[in-house]
Amino acid sequence: MTGVMGMAELLLSTPLDPQQHDYTQAMQRSGGMLLKLLNDALDLARIEAGKLELEPVPFDPRQLLDDVAQLEQGLAHAKGIRFVLDAADDLPAQLLGDALRIKQVLLNLANNALKFTEHGSVTLRAQRIDGGLQFSVSDTGPGISEASQARLFQRFEQAEGPQRRAGSGLGLAICRELVDMMGGSIELESRLAHGSTFRVRLPLPRAGGHDGRQHRTGIAPRARQHVPRAPAAGRAGSDTVAGGGAERAQLPPAAGGGRQHRGGGDSRPAGA
């Protein structure tokens, strides 16, 4: 699949008439969607088999956020909406964590926000919290009903909307699994016609004194879960929701694995 996409990219760099250019772009987009689906399925299989390992290394959180924003700017520009990066000034220079998996979670959330938002903006925020960082992705999209919120983080589940067929329904399930593996928490706050905000809280220690060696963390195999997770009660209001009455779904950590994970209130592309 990567070979097909690479050849499509090379083809786009050659002289093409408008119709050929459109066909090649469609081939490239379709290949990207299929590659994403394959990667999502492989990630879930590794998680269930206990073979997906975290690789905590020192990373620059501001650079990670810049990378995510740069990758999302193209889609935002194509849709005529703004993608805003709001990083707190006091973010640490170096933290210890699996930057690749953190970026995967944030790209999933940002891609979903851009996919379902037709007007306005999508905002990626990051701020310090006790023992780590809180990331949030807010949009001015249609919002998500309470009924959909209760099942949105289950596998193959998607929110209702015209873009429903554009994804596999695996992206948000992978986000929940990865955040749980990293000992964090993820939550959704949304209200119909008032947009949505996804928040991810991760324990990320400072990298000072780290000797630079990679430390791997795995999880034990877990049983497949089919039981819906009901949202827990929470406070109203969000970065993009004005006034009260917002629905907030707190996602519990996935069952199994034998590890203790931090709870709390609140990171690869296209999911819900």
Side-chain angles (χ1 to χ4, degrees):
M1 183 51 60
T2 53
V4 171
M5 294 178 62
M7 293 304 296
E9 186 172 353
L10 289 174
L11 188 58
L12 285 171
S13 66
T14 65
L16 300 172
D17 63 41
Q19 188 177 44
Q20 292 172 329
H21 189 271
D22 289 344
Y23 288 165
T24 307
Q25 281 190 323
M27 181 172 64
Q28 192 177 44
R29 287 194 300 270
S30 298
M33 291 177 63
L34 181 55
L35 183 61
K36 175 64 173 62
L37 177 60
L38 291 172
N39 285 330
D40 285 349
L42 286 172
D43 279 346
L44 283 176
R46 291 190 189 102
I47 289 171
E48 286 207 340
K51 299 297 185 181
L52 193 147
E53 295 180 330
L54 299 179
E55 298 186 3
V57 295
F59 72 96
D60 180 352
R62 196 173 297 276
Q63 182 61 55
L64 183 148
L65 292 165
D66 287 340
D67 291 345
V68 173
Q70 186 174 11
L71 289 170
E72 300 298 344
Q73 288 290 352
L75 179 56
H77 179 75
K79 295 192 68 174
I81 61 180
R82 293 182 299 118
F83 188 89
V84 180
L85 175 59
D86 181 10
D89 293 334
D90 62 347
L91 292 184
Q94 290 280 301
L95 293 171
L96 187 62
D98 191 328
L100 179 63
R101 296 302 178 179
I102 296 172
K103 186 182 296 185
Q104 182 179 351
V105 170
L106 295 180
L107 285 171
N108 259 313
L109 297 178
N111 275 343
N112 284 337
L114 288 169
K115 181 171 67 176
F116 286 95
T117 301
E118 298 299 330
H119 307 284
S121 63
V122 171
T123 301
L124 169 62
R125 292 186 175 91
Q127 64 187 72
R128 292 179 60 183
I129 58 174
D130 185 24
L133 294 182
Q134 174 179 282
F135 303 94
S136 67
V137 176
S138 303
D139 64 63
T140 57
I144 303 169
S145 69
E146 184 177 2
S148 293
Q149 289 181 43
R151 57 180 173 78
L152 195 58
F153 284 77
Q154 298 175 39
R155 298 172 187 183
F156 305 107
E157 292 288 349
Q158 296 175 280
E160 298 293 338
Q163 298 88 352
R164 181 183 177 90
R165 297 183 182 274
S168 64
L170 292 175
L172 289 178
I174 290 175
C175 286
R176 191 202 68 207
E177 298 275 5
L178 290 175
V179 169
D180 180 48
M181 285 181 65
M182 290 185 280
S185 62
I186 184 169
E187 69 177 16
L188 163 63
E189 184 174 349
S190 184
R191 189 174 64 174
L192 287 176
H194 288 80
S196 304
T197 296
F198 289 83
R199 292 189 182 89
V200 175
R201 287 192 175 114
L202 295 175
L204 297 168
R206 289 179 179 271
H210 182 66
D211 61 9
R213 293 175 297 178
Q214 287 191 352
H215 299 281
R216 295 172 178 254
T217 304
I219 58 172
R222 65 185 70 193
R224 186 181 298 272
Q225 297 294 316
H226 295 291
V227 180
R229 291 173 169 82
R235 62 179 178 82
S238 73
D239 295 338
T240 57
V241 179
E247 304 295 345
R248 181 173 181 138
Q250 171 69 45
L251 282 304
R259 287 184 49 177
Q260 299 246 343
H261 300 303
R262 287 191 359 173
D266 219 57
S267 130
R268 244 168 343 218

